[in-house]
Structure formats: C-alpha cells, structure tokens
C-alpha cells in the first residue's frame, strides 16, 4: 500500500477510531490520543505488506484494540491505575461541568472487562457488524454475541444503580 492510499483510508476511519478509543479510555482524551497515535504508527509501518483495501477498517481497528490492550497492561504493570473518584476530583478542578456529560456512562463502560467493552463499543458506538467485530477481536461469532450479552447486562446493572 502506498503512503497516499494509507493516508486517504486513515482519514476516512479516523473519526470513528477516535470516538471508539475515547470511549474505551473512559473519556480520557489524552490517553485516547496516545493510543491512536501509537496504533497509527504501527499500522503505517505494517501498511507496506497490507493490500486489502476493503478490509482496511477491520485491520486498523484490530491494531488499535491490540495497542489499547498493551497500553492498559503497561499502565497496570507500572502501578498507574487511577481511582475513578480521584479522577473525577482532578478533572473537575481542571474542566467545566460540561465535560462530564457522559462521565456516568464512561464509568459504567470502564467497569466492563476489555473484551466486553471492545465488543459493546464496536457494535453500539461504531455500528460494526458482528462478523467484522469477530475479525477485529479474532474470536468466533458466538464469543462476540456472548460478550455483547454480558456487556449489556453489566451496563444495565451498573447504570440502574445510579
């Protein structure tokens, strides 16, 4: 794949990818930007050997999902996990109340395990078909349906308590 082709395809996918990563990172735009940048660099390096323009979107999201998992694993390994209550306090001091419009939802999504969160965000936020989610997550259709079912139930439980 040539650079111009890669750039054109990324521009088409970037808004959705950014939205997905922002939700996956519980609204932390700095973290989402870091993951997006790293994923795009990995994709660009690997793009020379990639020639399936029709499958570009799923390929890019798979790289982003793997990069997100690696990023979160590194944070946990280095003891950089953040208490959500402290995050509210820090962010509240730095931003206006308008920035918390979706914080309750982000908090509930953040409580899902990585697989459920990925499936739920791809299916409901990005309108990805189940077969494409299977490709992105490298799992079977039944597994994705299970993640979606459990994810919905966990979100329903978490959001009804508030």
């Amino acid at each position: 794949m040539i650079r111009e082709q890669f750039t054109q395809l990324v521009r088409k996918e970037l808004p959705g990818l950014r939205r997905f990563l922002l939700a996956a990172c519980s609204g932390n735009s700095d973290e989402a930007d870091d993951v997006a940048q790293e994923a795009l660099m990995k994709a660009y390096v690997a793009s020379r050997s990639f020639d399936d323009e029709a499958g570009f979107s799923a390929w890019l999201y798979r790289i982003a999902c793997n990069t997100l998992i690696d990023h979160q694993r590194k944070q946990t390994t280095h003891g950089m996990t953040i208490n959500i209550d402290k995050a509210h306090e820090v962010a509240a001091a730095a931003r206006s109340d308008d920035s918390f419009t979706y914080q309750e939802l982000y908090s509930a999504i953040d409580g899902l395990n990585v697989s459920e969160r990925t499936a739920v965000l791809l299916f409901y936020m990005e309108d990805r078909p189940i077969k494409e989610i299977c490709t992105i997550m490298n799992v079977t259709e039944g597994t994705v349906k299970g993640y979606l079912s459990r994810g919905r139930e966990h979100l329903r439980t978490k959001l009804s308590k508030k």
Side-chain angles (χ1 to χ4, degrees), residues 6 19 53 73 82 86:
F6 177 82
R19 190 173 47 245
E53 193 171 321
R73 202 175 283 141
I82 298 174
K86 287 188 178 190

Side-chain angles (χ1 to χ4, degrees), residues 7 13 18 22 25 29 36 38 52 58 63 79 105-106 111-112 118 123 126 138-139 143:
T7 303
E13 295 297 327
R18 175 77 169 82
L22 184 62
C25 294
S29 61
E38 187 176 343
D52 178 18
I63 291 171
L105 179 59
Y106 286 144
L112 299 176
T118 301
F123 188 76
E126 297 304 315
N138 196 29
V139 295
T143 302

Side-chain angles (χ1 to χ4, degrees), residues 1-132:
M1 175 179 295
I2 62 173
R3 182 173 33 168
E4 291 79 20
Q5 186 181 20
F6 177 82
T7 303
Q8 181 181 17
L9 292 170
V10 165
R11 281 192 181 130
K12 179 180 165 192
E13 295 297 327
L14 196 56
L17 183 68
R18 175 77 169 82
R19 190 173 47 245
F20 165 74
L21 289 172
L22 184 62
C25 294
S26 302
N28 183 332
S29 61
D30 293 334
E31 182 180 8
D33 289 342
D34 289 347
V35 173
Q37 183 176 11
E38 187 176 343
L40 291 172
M41 287 190 315
K42 288 178 180 179
Y44 181 71
V45 169
S47 69
R48 291 182 185 200
S49 61
F50 185 80
D51 61 0
D52 178 18
E53 193 171 321
F56 182 81
S57 180
W59 177 74
L60 182 61
Y61 272 79
R62 182 160 185 189
I63 291 171
C65 285
N66 289 337
T67 302
L68 177 64
I69 290 167
D70 291 345
H71 179 79
Q72 290 173 338
R73 202 175 283 141
K74 286 177 192 173
Q75 282 187 326
T76 303
T77 303
H78 292 101
M80 294 175 61
T81 56
I82 298 174
N83 179 324
I84 195 68
D85 295 328
K86 287 188 178 190
H88 284 293
E89 293 169 16
V90 171
R95 298 182 183 170
S96 70
D97 289 338
D98 292 342
S99 66
F100 291 101
T101 304
Y102 300 107
Q103 196 59 43
E104 185 177 331
L105 179 59
Y106 286 144
S107 179
I109 290 171
D110 193 43
L112 299 176
N113 72 43
V114 174
S115 299
E116 290 172 358
R117 182 181 328 140
T118 301
V120 165
L121 292 174
L122 288 171
F123 188 76
Y124 290 105
M125 286 191 69
E126 297 304 315
D127 284 333
R128 300 287 175 157
I130 289 178
K131 289 187 188 261
E132 188 174 335

